[in-house]
Amino acid sequence: MNKVASLAALVGVAAAGSHVNKEGVVVMDMQQSVHSHEYRQIIRQGSDPMGGNIWPVAIYWVEIEVGTPGSKFPVAVDTGSYTLDIPHVSCSTCIHKAPNNVYNDKNSSTSQSIACGLDCTLIGGICKDDACSFSNTYETCDLSDPTAPCTIKGKWFKDKVTLGGATGSVDVNFGAITSQTSNFDQFKNIDGVMGIAGPAGSKNVFSSLVEAGALPNNVFGMCFVEGKTSNGTITFGGTDPRLYEKEITYVPDTGVAFYSVELKSISVAGQAVPSTSSHSAILDSGTNVLLLPTEMFDGVKKSFTDLCDHGAKLPGVCNTTKSIFEGNCYDYTPEQMAVFPNMTLSLDGVDLHMQPRNYLLRGVPTKAADVYCLGIRDTGKGGLLIIGDSTMENYYMVMNRATKQIGWAPVNRTNCGSIGHL
């Protein structure tokens, strides 16, 4: 999801499969959700399982512990925000079904409310009713409209947080949600988010663990593949060679508060789309599809329709008034899917490839379960350019915060969702 004034991305993982390898890297698997549409986790260095998928949950998630004694919370792993937010026991609009939980500050011996004053100001809080409060508004959270705003509100607390059960606990400032808008679709299955972006000096869960020496390196990586034990794996504190093939190629992280790359061009069937050259793209694990501003979206659409003029027979694109680019969906056969072109997102030194299965997606909540819809959305004129999970799922993606680089390697599809079986 994309935070307005800060961008939020969500990923799901389950701590049950977490462990620490000999270098101290934490590895966490992302567990499968009860829904067919979710998003995806690792530990001192290690790899942890993640839950979630692209549709219909639209996030990937991991499990953390908060408080003393520790209570378990599933949280979306979000490379587009930098705060931890979980439901408070007083929240009537939050989701209470399993595996979700609620934070009761009175049940934790280490809980501290953040007082109004300088401490509140330094974490971006606002003083309301004598309490340090927050109000966060996001985009790409309403799955029917990627530009519609969703909002969560609540109070700031400090408490012990443990990631994956293998890092030890650290003190973390986090938001306890007391209300959320009803259109926050990504929170309807996993109600909570762990932001792992932010500028230098920001105090998210990951950076707090690094600063405390609980992780050996200021590096994490993730992959999203449904396997035997989970829907993906996230690695905190380093990289895991089991999760990728060939070598990791790094490109500059051009973002300040959020992970970003320079997009040189988008190609369709090997032909560059003219309107897509030289743009900054946000990498958001909390956005499930590829989001393009109108000028780029229209350019991609024209590249598809130009193929029709050269003899291609693309159902839902050629010779129809009900185009997939206008929100229409089709029950494609494997043979029909196979005639669609590949797409390439060319970065500064790396080409990210998307096959038809990465942009023709089933499970959209507002559509019939067996139809395919276009997983490329228009964010409006001058809108956001976001590379989401549908592109990331072909890769093991590494965020090296120490060197400000982002690494890409072909994902090991056998291992990514099966760490617990290796």
Side-chain angles (χ1 to χ4, degrees), residues 4 31 93 99 121 124 169 172 185 217 235 253 259 285 294 304 310 345 355 368 378 390 408:
V4 179
Q31 290 186 345
T93 53
T121 302
S169 62
V172 174
D185 293 333
N217 299 293
T235 309
D253 176 4
Y259 306 107
S285 61
T294 295
F304 272 73
H310 291 84
L345 281 62
Q355 300 173 16
D378 184 351
S390 58
W408 305 87

Side-chain angles (χ1 to χ4, degrees), residues 129-328:
D129 298 329
D130 295 324
C132 186
S133 304
F134 70 92
S135 177
N136 294 341
T137 297
Y138 303 84
E139 292 182 352
T140 77
C141 46
D142 183 326
L143 301 181
S144 63
D145 181 355
T147 64
C150 313
T151 299
I152 57 174
K153 297 181 180 181
K155 299 178 180 180
W156 280 99
F157 287 87
K158 177 187 287 187
D159 210 337
K160 300 291 184 181
V161 175
T162 304
L163 182 64
T167 57
S169 62
V170 294
D171 289 326
V172 174
N173 296 323
F174 64 91
I177 305 167
T178 57
S179 69
Q180 61 191 40
T181 54
S182 60
N183 67 328
F184 211 134
D185 293 333
Q186 288 178 318
F187 273 18
K188 289 179 179 177
N189 293 288
I190 300 300
D191 201 343
V193 56
M194 180 177 66
I196 47 178
S202 61
K203 297 290 186 179
N204 60 44
V205 175
F206 176 72
S207 61
S208 296
L209 287 165
V210 173
E211 185 176 298
L215 294 171
N217 299 293
N218 196 4
V219 177
F220 68 88
M222 63 179 72
C223 60
F224 310 143
V225 176
E226 182 178 344
K228 295 178 181 178
T229 60
S230 70
N231 280 5
T233 302
I234 185 168
T235 309
F236 291 115
T239 58
D240 189 337
R242 299 173 297 173
L243 301 177
Y244 61 90
E245 299 174 347
K246 301 179 181 178
E247 299 294 325
I248 300 174
T249 302
Y250 288 89
V251 302
D253 176 4
T254 60
V256 177
F258 309 107
Y259 306 107
S260 301
V261 292
E262 186 69 18
L263 178 64
K264 296 297 185 181
S265 66
I266 297 177
S267 299
V268 175
Q271 300 298 311
V273 180
S275 59
T276 61
S277 60
S278 297
H279 289 75
S280 179
I282 295 169
L283 301 174
D284 183 3
S285 61
T287 295
N288 61 337
V289 296
L290 178 63
L291 301 183
L292 302 177
T294 295
E295 55 272 24
M296 298 179 71
F297 182 85
D298 288 347
V300 170
K301 176 181 177 181
K302 184 176 186 303
S303 292
F304 272 73
T305 56
D306 284 350
L307 294 175
C308 303
D309 296 335
H310 291 84
K313 300 183 185 300
L314 308 179
V317 178
C318 303
N319 301 316
T320 182
T321 58
K322 296 182 178 181
S323 170
I324 58 173
F325 286 89
E326 308 300 329
N328 296 289

Side-chain angles (χ1 to χ4, degrees), residues 16 32 37 70 73 81 90 105 107 110 119 123 127 140 200 214 226 232 265 284 312 315 343 360 382 391:
Q32 297 180 3
H37 163 145
F73 290 84
S81 67
S90 65
D105 50 295
N107 291 343
T110 49
D119 287 346
I123 60 175
C127 188
T140 77
E226 182 178 344
S265 66
D284 183 3
M343 295 178 58
L360 295 175
T391 304

